[in-house]
Amino acid sequence: MTGSAVVVGAGVGGLAVAIGLRRAGWRVTLLERRTELERYGTAFALHPTAQDALDRLGVGAAVRRRAVPYRCAQVRTPDGRVLARLPLERVERKAGRPELLISRPYLIDALADELDALGGVTVAFGENVADVAALSAEHDLLVGADGLRSAVRAARFGADSGPRKVGSTAWIGIADFASSVHGETWGKGRFFGLTPVEPGRTNWYAAVPEGTTAVELPDLFEDWHDPIPRILAETDPTSWLCYEMRHLSPALPTFVHDGRGGSGGHGGRVALVGDAAHAMTPNLGQGACTAVLDAEALARAVVQHGHTGLPDALRAYDRERRRSAQRVAFASRSLHRFVSTEHTRLRDAAARLLPG
């Protein structure tokens, strides 16, 4: 016997959990506040563990067709001196496969195509969820995959945890030429990253003091090593994306309500995945990975415990994912503080000690 689930949010986590539940035979409704899937964005990193989860969801092969391996990258100073190597080779040796990079639209499309192929999922766009309690009452399971400003989290888990600024603005984009330099360059209070994303193109991102405008951005990096000035000079500023970097704080005490007693006087079984549960700064490049791992773990727990064991499934999901995801979020936030410091001499000395 299977059940009925409603998933709020059609980003990476929402699409992935909808796939997992549908493959298990559940009736799934997917609600998205936007009028279409959000296909803009640059590169996502996929650790081998996330690739394994995508394989279990049936989309690994489709993702690998559009992804590129990420095998060599360094941390540099603005003048180009190498401070350290990123541990990509070590990751590949341990896992037997490299970390991958994929354009966000390609990952979204791979997940959406799999969901279409499965069939039987009701997808509704332009849905701003207002009455979470009523929605939960209509289904056996409510999944909040609605991001950092999650309506599901606010309604069912309280308002104590919410978006918190970190004092930085992120600018991201894609340059239409390949760079032979990959990794991050750390300056005083700012940093710049370069990764492959597909043949002949380079994904880039910059973290700068909060409020920095597109007009001001090139001046902050004009004397940095190649190809950083060229990246900013030869890409169209109107194609750049910008957002204020935030994370979820304080960490949630649970990712689930199992329906035993409810929350705030409401019953129903609820789980959070992705940014709704543990939004983090992008410094470790693990946002998409953790969302995929959450989604697959939740669907797997539901399958293992069955419809009648849903409370046990939710608790199993929480045990598997909460501490792990929150450790990644804490590490990412700590790395942001380390990289963005004004005290560069001590930071750079410490970076030289990092294992490559």
Side-chain angles (χ1 to χ4, degrees):
M1 180 179 179
T2 59
S4 167
V6 57
V7 180
V8 181
V12 171
L15 291 169
V17 77
I19 289 169
L21 292 173
R22 185 59 193 144
R23 288 174 69 91
W26 276 55
R27 302 182 304 280
V28 179
T29 299
L30 182 60
L31 306 179
E32 169 57 48
R33 65 178 178 83
R34 295 179 178 85
T35 56
E36 60 183 10
L37 291 176
E38 188 180 51
R39 286 185 168 87
Y40 74 83
T42 54
F44 278 152
L46 296 174
H47 188 274
T49 55
Q51 297 172 44
D52 290 340
L54 289 168
D55 285 336
R56 290 191 291 271
L57 290 170
V59 295
V63 167
R64 282 188 287 275
R65 282 195 291 270
R66 303 304 300 265
V68 296
Y70 195 27
R71 287 192 160 104
C72 183
Q74 295 82 32
V75 175
R76 290 179 167 82
T77 60
D79 63 5
R81 289 183 295 115
V82 174
L83 293 173
R85 295 173 65 89
L86 298 184
L88 298 172
E89 295 175 13
R90 182 154 46 92
V91 168
E92 184 170 357
R93 284 196 304 271
K94 182 178 180 180
R97 64 168 79 178
E99 186 163 308
L100 297 178
L101 289 161
I102 187 168
S103 173
R104 186 186 192 281
Y106 294 159
L107 179 56
I108 291 293
D109 285 345
L111 294 167
D113 288 347
E114 177 64 18
L115 201 61
D116 287 342
L118 290 171
V121 177
T122 300
V123 182
F125 292 101
E127 292 287 337
N128 285 301
V129 174
D131 193 340
V132 172
L135 188 64
S136 180
E138 295 171 1
H139 298 272
D140 298 302
L141 175 63
L142 167 62
V143 180
D146 48 342
L148 176 59
R149 302 184 185 280
S150 170
V152 175
R153 185 187 66 243
R156 301 306 307 278
F157 295 76
D160 290 343
S161 293
R164 303 289 185 266
K165 293 184 178 182
V166 300
S168 297
T169 295
W171 286 92
I172 58 178
I174 293 180
D176 288 325
F177 62 85
S179 170
S180 61
V181 174
H182 297 135
E184 289 191 348
T185 301
W186 297 351
K188 188 174 183 179
R190 59 191 185 273
F191 60 90
F192 200 99
L194 298 164
T195 75
V197 63
E198 57 185 308
R201 307 186 81 196
T202 300
N203 173 71
W204 65 268
Y205 54 92
V208 292
E210 191 174 39
T212 300
T213 67
V215 173
E216 297 167 331
L217 188 66
D219 293 339
L220 294 180
F221 300 100
E222 63 181 352
D223 60 348
W224 287 33
H225 67 80
D226 290 334
I228 293 173
R230 182 188 170 196
I231 289 275
L232 296 175
E234 296 186 16
T235 55
D236 182 0
T238 62
S239 70
W240 300 351
L241 302 176
C242 175
Y243 62 93
E244 297 299 326
M245 292 175 65
R246 291 176 169 83
H247 66 124
L248 183 67
S249 181
L252 290 168
T254 179
F255 287 176
V256 303
H257 284 305
D258 62 16
R260 296 178 180 178
S263 173
H266 301 300
R269 292 157 182 169
V270 185
L272 300 177
V273 301
D275 284 353
H278 48 67
M280 63 189 71
T281 64
N283 299 79
L284 287 175
Q286 293 294 301
C289 290
T290 53
V292 168
L293 289 168
D294 291 349
E296 191 276 329
L298 176 58
R300 175 165 34 84
V302 168
V303 171
Q304 289 174 348
H305 290 271
H307 177 250
T308 58
L310 190 53
D312 293 330
L314 295 182
R315 289 193 294 275
Y317 162 67
D318 189 62
R319 286 194 302 270
E320 178 176 341
R321 290 299 307 149
R322 179 165 50 86
R323 291 184 179 178
S324 174
Q326 289 176 344
R327 281 195 298 267
V328 174
F330 177 79
S332 190
R333 177 72 183 94
S334 298
L335 181 60
H336 180 76
R337 291 194 185 99
F338 178 73
V339 172
S340 302
T341 183
E342 296 284 330
H343 306 291
T344 58
R345 183 174 298 179
L346 289 175
R347 180 201 62 196
D348 292 353
R352 292 187 181 95
L353 301 177
L354 296 174

